[in-house]
Amino acid sequence: MRRQPSMLYLRPFMPLIVGLSLGFTLCLVCLPLLEEGCTSEGSVDQVARLRKPNSVQESSQDVLQNYNDDDFEPRIITNPKPVKSGGKQPFRARYISTELGIREKLVVGVVTSRESLDTVAVALNKTLAHYIHKLLYFTGTRNVKAPGGMYVVTHGDDRPVWEMAQTIRYINDHFHKDYDWTYLVTDNTYVQGDRVTNIFDHISMNRDVYMGKRAPFKDMDGYYCKIGHGVVLSHSVMSALQRHLDGCMETILDLQPDEWLGRCLHDVMGISCVEEFEGIDYNTYEFSSATDPDNEDSQEFQKAHTVHPIVEPTDFYRLHRRFAHIELDLAYSEIENIKAQIKNLSHKTPEGEAGLTWPIGINPPFKPQSRFDVLSWDYFTETHLYTCPDGAPKCELHGIDKMDVDDIIGTSVQRLNDKYKKQGLTFDHVRLLNGYRRFDPTRGMEYELDLLVGETGPDNLRDVVTKRVKLLRPLSQVEIIPMPYVTETTRLYVILPVTVHDREQVAKFLDSYAQVVLDIHENSMLTVVFIYDPLDAQNIQEEDVFGMLKSMITYYERKYPNAKIPWISIKTDVPTQLKIMDIISKKHPVDALFLLVTVTDELTIEFLNRCRMNTIAGWQAFFPIHFAQYSPELVYDTKPYPATVEFGREFGHFDVHAFDEACFYNSDYMTTRTELQKQRKDNEDVSETYNLYEMFLKHSNLHVFRAVEPDLRQRYMPRTCNPHLSEDLYHSCLVSQAEGLASKEQLAKLIFEHDNEIKSQSENVVKS
Ligand SMILES: *[C@@H]1O[C@H](CO)[C@@H](O)[C@H](O)[C@H]1NC(C)=O
Ligand SMILES: *[C@@H]1O[C@H](CO)[C@@H](O)[C@H](O)[C@H]1NC(C)=O
């Protein structure tokens, strides 16, 4: 019954195998022939040609000689002389783009004047500059005041032809190396930046391109491009101009500058202005006082790259708005077109038309490979969510989730209205019956809603109906945010505040710190801050509450002779982050990178490095969300409890309410702290109302980066919340305290067991 499986697999390869074996056989047959043929000229020629298919033409005589030379022997060169490279070191460019000769696309020169620089040139800048990499303005007159953000070059000569020549010379001198294309235009022209830049994506820059709106020469054949409508010059044309500009300057006739340029190009390169190149059209529109930018409908206008001449700056903005609309409509119709094409082609795909998924053009829904990666739907209503963090069965919708739900309901009703407008139906929202949503990482957020809507027909009768709608909030374009460069070599100043209550934990902290940092000479330095409350501070002569710890530090310093662990004592009854940092900040260099920790933290090398990488001076501060251990007495059944914090949902949680740890630069701290104090009147003390996080968030321009950090774990210690703290801080401390005990599930179980115990006890009592 069964065919031989090996044959089955081999079958498709049969021709290949036959071919290969044939090839080998023939080769063996041919080899002796060829060897013999070495003396015969014809076959040598063939070999030579075979060996060097694409290389530069060599005279075939040479080649023949080489092959014919029977005496050819390889020579062994002993003691080779190094090739002198003329004593010059090879030049290594700083940027890859320079090294590889990668150029930018387009430099645009705008010919302007002192009178128009403040009016139309600014309008042109505002409507064009964001499309163009390099936009320059050229004027003849000196002493012009450039409007902000505009690169103005003054030549100091008003003669138009001379000014044009100088403009070209300037661009050649400064940008020729780095740019492929040059575009010249006058300032009284509206330029549709999108379309103009699009030209350069479709023509290769090594062609001789001189493109624009043509006008014939008066006294000879050929055309020049009118500068008013913009002139496109390719790299090669600019190169030719660079060489011949002086020659052309000698023949300055009494010409308009654009005509002079056309003549110059005509003379030196024999090229004439074109309005079309390699299938790309250059379209222009002549503006007149009768043109209404908002309603002009002609084809010429709709397709225009430039509109000229324009006198009023407001016309620039009106044109810009109009063209933005036109481009938007084009984009929409193109999307529709592409959708239609996808639909048309779908029957050719393996799945056929069934493979077409909604919405067209967006990744198909994620297909789970096994039951473990099924994406589950979350159920929600208008007020509640039924998939809650921490396993609670039901939680209230608020904040961003609420906005999300309101938004999709609004959108659904609006889409229904759009869709059924033709039938004369209108809809209004009554109630959301069921809502489901899920996040599909390949495409975005998906929703499915059962909506109860009021449907009003053409006869004005209202009916309440149910509609099921599907929505997708697609992932949009991914953006890359460039970040400054940081390294892992920065020295880290670890700051450890210790209060009287923390005393017992310090030994553990120092022990793990020694293992993680001191043993491997990690580039970090620990500073311990002893916080005395006023009473302890008074009695310091009789009894130092931190005496033990100080001797412990001395012990570590002796054990690791290279390590210094400085300590500082401060006195306060409300030890807040700002109070501590105010003192620490002054005692450290401005460029110090601080890591603020607590005694219950377990540091790891990964975390320390992450602190370095995620903190950028003048740019970003890092607030890790630590993994807080639950109370071991509640979550473990038996002693001994593990010595380190175990990672897992039954052992602890990421405490989003705690802001204990922070990584930031001293310089950033100082500027932000000054800023914060400045905004407060009467030197009010803010160190108790703010924590570091709020301070950086509200009073600095830094990115405040907050993220879960599984490598930073905090041992359980009952939190003490100081009622002297500001309301907000005190509140979040209480929440953190309450949620830090154990998960709701574990607590519920404990209560349940406890109740059962009491019940059975009382039953026992009754029985006896
Ligand atoms: C000109 O455009 C540039 C780039 O968009 C902008 O930074 C600058 O402020 C503009 N200048 C004026 C005067 O509009
Ligand atoms: C789709 O296919 C039909 C018939 O094959 C054709 O007439 C139509 O132009 C196509 N539409 C698009 C957008 O390609």
Side-chain angles (χ1 to χ4, degrees), residues 125-126 129 147-150:
N125 184 62
K126 286 204 190 328
M150 284 164 63

Side-chain angles (χ1 to χ4, degrees), residues 21 58 141 191 263-264 289 313 364 384 422 576 604 624 649 739:
S21 24
E58 260 171 286
T141 17
V191 181
R263 217 168 249 276
C264 174
S289 53
H384 287 86
K422 282 202 209 88
T576 61
T604 58
R649 57 184 300 168
E739 292 187 350

Side-chain angles (χ1 to χ4, degrees), residues 337 340-341 344:
N337 202 351
Q341 284 180 14
N344 244 12

Side-chain angles (χ1 to χ4, degrees), residues 185-203:
V185 69
T186 50
D187 60 2
N188 55 350
T189 308
Y190 171 75
V191 181
Q192 218 299 323
D194 233 359
R195 296 180 187 175
V196 167
T197 46
N198 202 22
I199 296 178
F200 306 107
D201 293 335
H202 291 94
I203 309 180

